[in-house]
Amino acid sequence: MTSSDSLTGRVALVTGGTSGLGAETARTLADRGASVAVVGRDRDRGETAAADLATRTDGTAEFYRADLASQASVRRLAAEFRERHDRLDVLVNNAGTFRAERTVTADGVESTFAINHLAPYLLTHSLLDLLVASPSARVVTVSSGIHTRATLDFANLQGERGYDGMTAYARSKLANVLFTDELADRLAETAVTATAVNPGFVPGTGLARDASLRNRLLLGAFARLPLPFTKGLEEGAETLIRAAADPDLADVTGVYLSDGEVTASSEESQDEEARRRLWDVSAGLVGVSPDWAV
């Protein structure tokens, strides 16, 4: 894409949009004229980000404070957005976490699974009618290449036994791909597309703020060194931007973008029975009907 691809008149919502890949994505969307709403936990950082976006776009810039670990907070976020908007053209489910130790949210769900998978699932559900109201909407969910290392064990989906932080993270990223494929199938008769993206290894995102000290130091070193397998924020965000705005992908749905290109996801992610079961289990965990997108 080039800077001539105008997004004037489009409305975008970016979770985790106050720092890292989300902030870079929000800035690029604003630079192309979109009205951009960013979601984050820190009010000062969020208001600063929104003020910067306002100087970049012909549209509007907004900040919504939300804790995506809380289902009630996700629902409030959706309700607040709905009060101000009658449609949504681009939803970027970018926010994520990596937890070295197993923690549980107020809803009783393991935190990595709750933030990385259930929050996008519930937020997309809560904003679905605004997406359908758009003449051409996109749901972009940030996964990772590490999803290829994961399998789903529905008897231990939340790591109740033998928790490992990397395994939990990889499982949540596999869930992102499965969610995207199932969403695409269920919305096939609408103008809403769904895409999962792998931005590559971007150590400067702040994702590992809850990781072990050793891993935080390691990622900090990766961020400073010119290593061939790492990416800066701008380069990493390019895949998100392509999924969110490239006109060549306007009618493409249910795909996995890695390094900007449509790529085959893992064999595990192709399991239709697993993705439907995950959809139903997720519906139960957030308290909605599993038929919500049919």
Side-chain angles (χ1 to χ4, degrees):
M1 294 186 66
T2 69
S3 58
S4 64
D5 294 308
S6 175
L7 298 176
T8 299
R10 305 281 283 175
V11 179
L13 178 67
V14 182
T15 67
T18 62
S19 64
L21 287 173
E24 187 65 35
T25 299
R27 284 192 289 266
T28 304
L29 294 174
D31 286 344
R32 294 179 181 174
S35 292
V36 182
V38 292
V39 178
R41 292 183 298 174
D42 186 280
R43 184 171 298 281
D44 289 341
R45 181 184 293 175
E47 290 177 348
T48 298
D52 173 63
L53 294 175
T55 67
R56 294 171 173 268
T57 181
D58 298 328
T60 60
E62 301 172 296
F63 167 65
Y64 292 84
R65 185 173 181 272
D67 178 2
L68 300 184
S70 163
Q71 294 175 23
S73 184
V74 173
R75 288 186 167 91
R76 282 195 298 272
L77 161 63
E80 290 171 7
F81 186 85
R82 296 167 67 88
E83 288 178 357
R84 304 181 191 178
H85 300 275
D86 58 7
R87 82 168 200 277
L88 176 59
D89 302 300
V90 180
L91 172 59
V92 182
N93 290 311
N94 163 74
T97 189
F98 176 95
R99 304 291 175 103
E101 303 294 332
R102 188 179 190 274
T103 60
V104 176
T105 70
D107 301 300
V109 181
E110 189 273 314
S111 298
T112 300
F113 189 74
I115 295 168
N116 294 3
H117 168 62
L118 289 184
Y121 182 96
L122 179 58
L123 184 60
T124 305
H125 164 270
S126 301
L127 296 173
L128 183 63
D129 58 337
L130 299 192
L131 290 162
V132 173
S134 166
S136 177
R138 307 188 189 196
V139 178
V140 179
T141 303
V142 178
S143 180
S144 167
I146 203 171
H147 87 275
T148 59
R149 294 174 49 181
T151 59
L152 290 189
D153 178 1
F154 285 95
N156 190 33
L157 192 59
Q158 298 182 47
E160 296 92 340
R161 299 182 305 280
Y163 179 85
D164 175 78
M166 189 59 70
T167 298
Y169 180 73
R171 183 185 297 122
S172 73
K173 297 292 100 179
L174 172 60
N176 292 150
V177 181
L178 292 166
F179 163 68
T180 295
D181 288 349
E182 186 66 13
L183 182 68
D185 273 4
R186 290 171 179 252
L187 298 180
E189 300 303 317
T190 74
V192 182
T193 65
T195 307
V197 303
N198 167 31
F201 182 42
V202 188
T205 62
L207 174 70
R209 56 186 172 270
D210 295 309
S212 66
L213 176 60
R214 177 182 179 277
N215 284 339
R216 293 200 304 273
L217 292 174
L218 187 61
L219 284 171
F222 284 161
R224 291 188 296 272
L225 296 173
L227 300 173
F229 57 86
T230 64
K231 292 183 178 181
L233 290 174
E234 184 174 350
E235 186 182 6
E238 288 176 358
T239 301
L240 280 71
I241 296 298
R242 182 165 190 230
D246 190 336
D248 290 341
L249 297 176
D251 300 317
V252 178
T253 190
V255 297
Y256 174 71
L257 258 64
S258 182
D259 292 330
E261 301 298 329
V262 175
T263 307
S265 55
S266 71
E267 183 177 347
E268 185 79 12
S269 73
Q270 310 298 325
D271 188 334
E272 294 186 12
E273 181 179 350
R275 84 184 194 206
R276 293 186 184 116
R277 185 175 180 186
L278 177 66
W279 183 279
D280 292 348
V281 169
S282 302
L285 288 171
V286 300
V288 302
S289 167
D291 294 331
W292 60 267
V294 176

